[in-house]
Amino acid sequence: MKRLLLDTHVLLWWLSDDRRLGASAREVIADGRNEVFVSAVTTWEISIKRSLGKLTAPDNMDAVVENAGFGKLPVSLFHGDQAGRLPDIHRDPFDRMLVAQAQAEGLDLVTSDNYIPQYGVKVLAASD
């Protein structure tokens, strides 16, 4: 059994059945034996980018995540503290929080971001 945290782009690729999400990642996400989580940070990032007109996404991400069978990962004070302590590799605060959450919760972060593995977090490549 794997415990996964989806990066924002991975969630969007999953929901839109985007071909950029590789077959291997798609198979692991779809495997009912695995626990798949979406962070509150991801829905926050989607909401901001949607309001700026940078992307199209469903309005009610809470229901979308629930209907997909994914767990919801809240942001804790510990996560915030950990994100602030990360080395200055990546300037994106959303990605930094996802790294901190994955490390704190023992999750593999599903992403295609090339900076994230530099944090030493467990990563599952989103693209083949």
Side-chain angles (χ1 to χ4, degrees):
M1 177 181 93
K2 292 186 181 283
R3 299 180 72 236
L4 310 170
L5 178 60
L6 303 184
D7 200 342
T8 304
H9 63 276
V10 173
L11 175 63
L12 293 171
W13 290 352
W14 174 267
L15 295 175
S16 66
D17 200 26
D18 193 302
R19 291 185 358 206
R20 289 177 285 184
L21 182 59
S24 298
R26 189 177 301 276
E27 185 176 313
V28 173
I29 294 167
D31 187 334
R33 295 172 294 185
N34 297 326
E35 288 183 282
V36 181
F37 294 92
V38 174
S39 172
V41 169
T42 293
T43 60
W44 178 28
E45 181 178 15
I46 289 169
S47 178
I48 289 171
K49 289 183 177 179
R50 186 179 45 233
S51 71
L52 295 172
K54 292 185 175 185
L55 64 81
T56 303
D59 288 328
N60 189 351
M61 289 304 298
D62 188 80
V64 169
V65 168
E66 191 168 312
N67 290 338
F70 300 150
K72 301 171 193 173
L73 183 60
V75 176
S76 71
L77 294 175
F78 181 76
H79 296 149
D81 188 50
Q82 292 301 107
R85 294 174 188 263
L86 289 172
D88 195 22
I89 296 170
H90 204 317
R91 296 219 178 259
D92 184 321
F94 300 111
D95 286 337
R96 291 173 63 85
M97 180 57 76
L98 292 175
V99 168
Q101 287 185 298
Q103 289 175 335
E105 303 301 326
L107 305 170
D108 294 1
L109 186 50
V110 186
T111 187
S112 65
D113 187 311
N114 293 325
Y115 290 104
I116 289 177
Q118 295 178 45
Y119 285 105
V121 67
K122 290 188 268 182
V123 170
L124 177 67
S127 303
D128 290 336

